[in-house]
């Protein structure tokens, strides 16, 4: 994966191309950075004034950017910049793949860089003054997930803490905790979402282990896979992110059927603050691991 550019105050990374302060693309106006649009479910109250408010769901966030390429006296450089901005929209790995997204990263003065995931929907250019090295741009980025996310991902790895049979290696210190092989071992861990909105983790279980249950201790929500068996080197990944929500094996195969009916990956989020995570499994080697990867989530830029 290519390294993403470090942004300075007043810059935007639009699908891999930096625009804004210190570049040849001036930002004139940006809209769509506030509260995203809402899909309401209000209903008029029969024979009464007013309405009954139903659930409000956020619609995709449309970020509109009014910009202009300025390369005085150099129309060739002007058109080259336009070509660079257009190129990501032609990437077939995004354009022709359902659910695939690209990014919009923004660095506001005095604020950390945050990002949106979505698609570049419009990039219109005016050519009237290109001979002078000036080209106004009308850009739209549609964030299919309207939540703002931290620019860098956080990862934590949680081992199984106690043996499920098979003995232990010296040296050892008291106190000792040993279980027989009849009960799956469990180990608490902690995941901190430093944001202000629910974050959605990618959870990877790496074998050898079997009969896996992942528990969010604060809410009691679980993801149970009693029929799962992983040998050494095999893994299963649960992606809880909106627009993804998949369960895959190391072969790339769909493993959603391994989850019990009560396992809701669409509810398995990390709320703001610290969450206690537990997981249980049978593992006589004590080498199985659970890895959580997430981006802190925010309601505002």
């Amino acid at each position: 994966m290519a390294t993403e550019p470090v942004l300075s105050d007043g810059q935007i990374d639009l699908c891999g191309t930096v625009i804004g302060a210190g570049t040849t693309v001036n930002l004139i106006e940006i809209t769509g950075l506030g509260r995203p649009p809402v899909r309401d479910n209000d209903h008029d109250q029969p024979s009464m004034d007013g309405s009954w408010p139903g659930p409000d769901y956020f619609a995709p966030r449309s970020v509109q950017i009014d910009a202009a390429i300025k390369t005085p006296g150099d129309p060739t450089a002007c058109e080259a910049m336009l070509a660079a901005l257009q190129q990501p929209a032609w990437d077939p790995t995004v354009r022709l793949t359902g659910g695939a997204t690209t990014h919009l990263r923004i660095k506001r003065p005095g604020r950390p860089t945050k990002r949106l995931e979505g698609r570049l929907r419009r990039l219109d250019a005016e050519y009237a003054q290109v001979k002078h090295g000036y080209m106004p741009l009308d850009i739209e980025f549609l964030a299919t997930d309207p939540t703002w996310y931290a620019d860098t991902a956080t990862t934590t790895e949680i081992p199984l803490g106690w043996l499920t049979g098979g003995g232990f290696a010296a040296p050892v210190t008291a106190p000792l905790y040993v279980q027989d092989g009849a009960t799956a071992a469990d180990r608490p861990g902690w995941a901190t979402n430093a944001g202000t909105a629910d974050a959605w983790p990618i959870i990877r279980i790496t074998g050898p282990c079997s009969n896996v249950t992942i528990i969010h201790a604060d809410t009691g929500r679980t993801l149970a896979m009693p029929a799962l068996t992983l040998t050494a080197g095999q893994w299963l990944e649960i992606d809880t992110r909106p627009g993804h929500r998949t369960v895959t094996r190391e072969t790339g195969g769909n493993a959603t059927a391994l989850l019990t009916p009560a396992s809701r990956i669409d509810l398995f989020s990390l709320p703001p603050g610290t969450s206690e995570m537990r997981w249980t499994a049978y593992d006589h080697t004590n080498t199985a691991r659970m890895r959580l990867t997430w981006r802190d989530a925010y309601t505002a830029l």
Side-chain angles (χ1 to χ4, degrees), residues 127-226:
Y127 273 77
Q129 301 183 64
V130 69
K131 64 182 179 180
H132 302 298
Y134 182 78
M135 180 185 291
L137 301 174
D138 184 11
I139 303 168
E140 180 188 15
F141 183 90
L142 188 68
T144 49
D145 178 355
T147 305
W148 295 98
Y149 290 98
D151 197 38
T152 56
T154 302
T155 299
T156 186
E157 190 171 89
I158 304 172
L160 282 171
W162 296 325
L163 297 177
T164 55
F168 47 85
V172 296
T173 57
L176 301 180
Y177 298 94
V178 180
Q179 291 180 240
D180 61 27
T183 305
D186 63 67
R187 164 68 183 260
W190 291 268
T192 300
N193 169 17
T196 56
D198 284 0
W200 299 92
I202 299 173
I203 306 168
R204 176 175 290 201
I205 303 292
T206 302
C209 61
S210 61
N211 188 12
V212 174
T213 299
I214 304 165
I215 306 161
H216 187 278
D218 303 272
T219 62
R221 292 173 181 152
T222 63
L223 301 176
M225 295 165 284

Side-chain angles (χ1 to χ4, degrees), residues 105-123:
R105 302 165 59 232
I106 299 181
K107 177 70 169 70
R108 296 293 301 160
R111 303 281 290 172
T113 300
K114 293 179 185 173
R115 65 193 295 140
L116 297 167
E117 298 293 328
R119 297 277 183 99
L120 181 62
R121 288 304 186 207
R122 186 169 68 252
L123 180 59

